[in-house]
Amino acid sequence: MSQPVKIKNALISVYYKDGLAPLVQHLAEQGVTLFSTGGTEQFIKDLGLPVTAVEDLTSYPSILGGRVKTLHPKVFGGILNRRGLTADQEQITQYEIPEIDLVIVDLYPFEETVKAGGTDEEIIEKIDIGGISLIRAAAKNFNDVVIIASKADYGTLLQQLQEQNNSTTLAQRKAYAKKAFHTSSHYDTAIFNYFNNEEPLNVFKQSIAQAQTLRYGENPHQQGTFYGNLEEMFTKLNGKELSYNNLVDVDAAVSLIDEFTEPTFAILKHTNACGVASRPTILQAWIDALACDPVSAFGGVLIANREIDLATATAINNLFFEVLIAPSYQPEAVELFREKKNRVILQRNEVELSNKQFKTLLNGVIEQDKDLSLEGAEQMTTVTEKVPSAESIQDLIFANKIVKHTKSNTIVFVKNNVLLASGVGQTSRVDALKQAVVKANSFGFDLNGAVMASDAFFPFPDCVELAAEAGIVAVLQPGGSIKDKDSVEMANQKGIAMVTTGVRHFKH
């Protein structure tokens, strides 16, 4: 069962034919009988090579608009018969079934049709039946059959056949079978998830066909892999490969910057913003974002939502950073950044992102909808005697965008569309506030006239009291505490405004 298997008969029926010609030509030169269907049959004929139509093998035409072509015992018997089993060999002799040693089959482009916005009818017609059955059959019988389910393997198989007298080893066939079962399971997962959009079954299925091995995980002693297509998301203009931690920070940066429409620059460290500013120009946004916390900005991830020109690049170039992301760059700016080869410069591409999030936890997986809620002025209810000014409302909206993307417990201070300071990931909300006050003071920011946002309600009035004493004039919080009244009374006592939104933004 483990001896090399020489290719005598091959079934070839593929949707994508690029790269197929050299392999087919080699098979024909070696005297392999080629069976094929439809467009692939014509492709082989156009190469001037002999080919037998599957219809001639089965004595049955392609029917139902091509839905049924290969589903026949003479095809599947040729693939599934066990060469070492006498009963199987007697039956294929009796029914004149050729042994098929090689199956080259891919699948209709189901995912591509969904992604392109195809109609329901177009999408349903791209659910492959014959192809998936051929792949599974050949992979199941890997002891005797080679299955090639991807054009990516044409070249590898050709080289093996050239070097091994048109034969394959059991280890090679098993490796191809593994790839084939990945192809079939990925395909079925895509189909299931398409059907599972409406009234979904409560099951978790994900399949990502591309992977990138990372230098290591969160720490050097941990292995790390990214599953996905980074090249679709970003065009890398300079720098080394992204690390696990880089990717986590980049994800946080993208989520944050997408909240802003005006020219905005953000600087993140360990997924938390340490500088954010919106200004008329991206250069001024960079200058003011960096001023928020130039110490934490060192080695951070930078992101902008406007093109980086040479003037902005020159200003950024004075800082050591890990990653810079922008929608576009002036050529001169890219050349400047390339003076330091390790800095990662990413140009962000337009890619639709998933609205779901999931991660492994305990002995399973948790999944949730992304937090896509963002409250504007119309969602703010003033609960104090003092009403926030128009300027404060704009700053509260700005602060709420940042607090939504900062680790809980968090407090954010903002003035004039600039982050002044934040308290991040503290075990109590009052500690988060105290941290933010200390940080603002350490960089010389005047909190008088600034606003404060909290990701969750205040269990006690102490945060409101401390904020007012620091100079805060307006506070945003979701509300919902049984002691909301105490915080409102403290705000009234201190003469500051408070609004509630009814929406909590925990980020753990």
Side-chain angles (χ1 to χ4, degrees):
M1 298 291 286
S2 62
Q3 73 273 18
V5 171
K6 193 164 187 176
I7 308 298
K8 304 180 297 296
N9 300 299
L11 173 63
I12 307 174
S13 181
V14 296
Y15 190 89
Y16 297 106
K17 300 168 183 65
D18 43 314
L20 179 63
L23 178 56
V24 174
Q25 288 167 336
H26 170 81
L27 293 170
E29 290 168 2
Q30 295 298 311
V32 175
T33 299
L34 306 179
F35 298 97
S36 192
T37 64
T40 308
E41 178 189 347
Q42 187 60 51
F43 174 82
I44 296 172
K45 286 180 178 178
D46 290 344
L47 293 174
L49 304 175
V51 59
T52 300
V54 167
E55 291 91 334
D56 294 337
L57 171 64
T58 63
S59 300
Y60 218 97
S62 173
I63 62 174
L64 306 182
R67 280 189 166 195
V68 180
K69 291 181 288 190
T70 57
L71 297 169
H72 192 280
K74 281 206 171 182
V75 175
F76 281 86
I79 296 170
L80 284 166
N81 79 88
R82 290 155 289 190
R83 277 54 164 176
L85 196 63
T86 301
D88 282 12
Q89 295 308 297
E90 289 174 351
Q91 286 189 321
I92 68 166
T93 300
Q94 177 185 355
Y95 296 110
E96 299 180 342
I97 298 173
E99 288 185 343
I100 296 175
D101 317 292
L102 168 63
V103 175
I104 304 176
V105 172
D106 61 10
L107 300 170
Y108 293 153
F110 177 84
E111 286 182 281
E112 294 87 340
T113 305
V114 173
K115 190 174 182 179
T119 64
D120 286 343
E121 182 178 357
E122 290 170 335
I123 291 169
I124 296 303
E125 286 307 311
K126 290 299 185 289
I127 298 176
D128 208 314
I129 303 301
I132 201 79
S133 301
L134 291 167
I135 288 172
R136 289 177 62 85
K140 176 178 180 177
N141 204 23
F142 67 87
N143 271 316
D144 302 304
V145 180
V146 182
I147 173 61
I148 300 296
S150 169
K151 62 183 180 181
D153 290 323
Y154 293 167
T156 302
L157 177 63
L158 176 58
Q159 183 177 353
Q160 289 169 347
L161 296 179
Q162 289 172 334
E163 295 175 351
Q164 298 166 186
N165 192 27
N166 213 42
S167 299
T168 58
T169 67
L170 178 61
Q172 290 166 347
R173 295 192 297 277
K174 191 171 185 179
Y176 285 128
K178 178 172 64 175
K179 290 184 178 182
F181 283 123
H182 159 64
T183 295
S184 65
S185 65
H186 177 81
Y187 196 74
D188 285 340
T189 298
I191 294 170
F192 169 78
N193 285 334
Y194 171 76
F195 279 95
N196 204 40
N197 278 327
E198 297 179 10
E199 299 182 11
L201 300 176
N202 194 23
V203 297
F204 180 83
K205 290 182 186 291
Q206 288 290 333
S207 178
I208 301 175
Q210 292 177 277
Q212 177 179 328
T213 301
L214 305 174
R215 296 196 301 276
Y216 49 79
E218 212 162 6
N219 298 289
H221 61 276
Q222 297 169 266
Q223 292 184 342
T225 306
F226 173 78
Y227 294 97
N229 187 355
L230 277 179
E231 291 183 359
E232 179 185 36
M233 182 83 191
F234 301 108
T235 300
K236 190 172 73 170
L237 304 179
N238 187 67
K240 58 188 177 181
E241 294 302 318
L242 290 166
S243 69
Y244 181 100
N245 292 331
N246 287 157
L247 288 170
V248 173
D249 284 332
V250 166
D251 176 69
V254 167
S255 297
L256 174 60
I257 204 69
D258 282 352
E259 303 285 5
F260 300 90
T261 56
E262 60 274 27
T264 301
F265 222 112
I267 306 169
L268 288 88
K269 200 70 171 290
H270 305 308
T271 75
N272 295 304
C274 58
V276 186
S278 294
R279 288 292 180 261
T281 68
I282 204 66
L283 173 58
Q284 193 59 51
W286 161 253
I287 292 170
D288 291 347
L290 179 62
C292 297
D293 185 350
V295 175
S296 296
F298 184 86
V301 169
L302 322 179
I303 190 164
N305 62 359
R306 294 292 192 279
E307 180 175 80
I308 302 297
D309 54 26
L310 180 59
T312 306
T314 301
I316 296 171
N317 203 43
N318 294 321
L319 176 75
F320 168 75
F321 62 89
E322 289 277 349
V323 183
L324 171 63
I325 310 161
S328 61
Y329 299 82
Q330 287 184 353
E332 299 84 357
V334 176
E335 289 305 310
L336 178 64
F337 288 133
R338 282 177 174 163
E339 291 177 358
K340 296 181 180 179
K341 64 180 182 178
N342 285 334
R343 290 189 302 196
V344 180
I345 308 300
L346 301 177
Q347 181 171 295
R348 186 178 172 187
N349 304 321
E350 289 293 329
V351 174
E352 185 177 354
L353 301 177
S354 172
N355 289 335
K356 295 284 188 179
Q357 294 174 310
F358 61 88
K359 64 179 179 179
T360 58
L361 187 148
L362 299 176
N363 62 341
V365 173
I366 54 174
E367 182 184 60
Q368 67 171 354
D369 298 330
K370 281 186 178 178
D371 183 359
L372 300 177
S373 176
L374 188 64
E375 300 72 52
E378 60 276 11
Q379 283 82 40
M380 296 180 186
T381 301
T382 301
V383 292
T384 50
E385 297 167 359
K386 184 175 181 180
V387 176
S389 67
E391 292 78 9
S392 289
I393 290 290
Q394 290 305 307
D395 279 344
L396 288 170
I397 294 172
F398 188 94
N400 199 30
K401 293 176 180 180
I402 299 172
V403 85
K404 171 183 168 181
H405 295 278
T406 306
K407 293 286 187 182
S408 301
N409 287 318
T410 183
I411 292 290
V412 166
F413 294 149
V414 164
K415 184 161 64 174
N416 298 329
N417 286 339
V418 173
L419 171 65
L420 298 185
S422 60
V424 176
Q426 298 303 302
T427 52
S428 76
R429 198 154 302 278
V430 70
D431 283 346
L433 188 144
K434 290 176 179 178
Q435 181 191 63
V437 171
V438 169
K439 201 158 194 177
N441 291 338
S442 70
F443 290 110
F445 289 119
D446 182 5
L447 291 178
N448 286 296
V451 305
M452 178 177 83
S454 172
D455 62 327
F457 61 64
F458 300 116
F460 305 103
D462 48 2
C463 282
V464 179
E465 181 179 15
L466 291 173
E469 291 173 357
I472 298 299
V473 296
V475 176
L476 177 147
Q477 59 132 330
S481 169
I482 59 173
K483 294 186 177 182
D484 275 349
K485 179 171 60 69
D486 294 345
S487 294
V488 173
E489 288 178 356
M490 179 59 68
N492 285 332
Q493 180 182 330
K494 295 294 184 179
I496 66 174
M498 179 183 290
V499 301
T500 59
T501 62
V503 180
R504 187 184 73 184
H505 289 297
F506 269 165
K507 184 185 177 188
H508 287 161

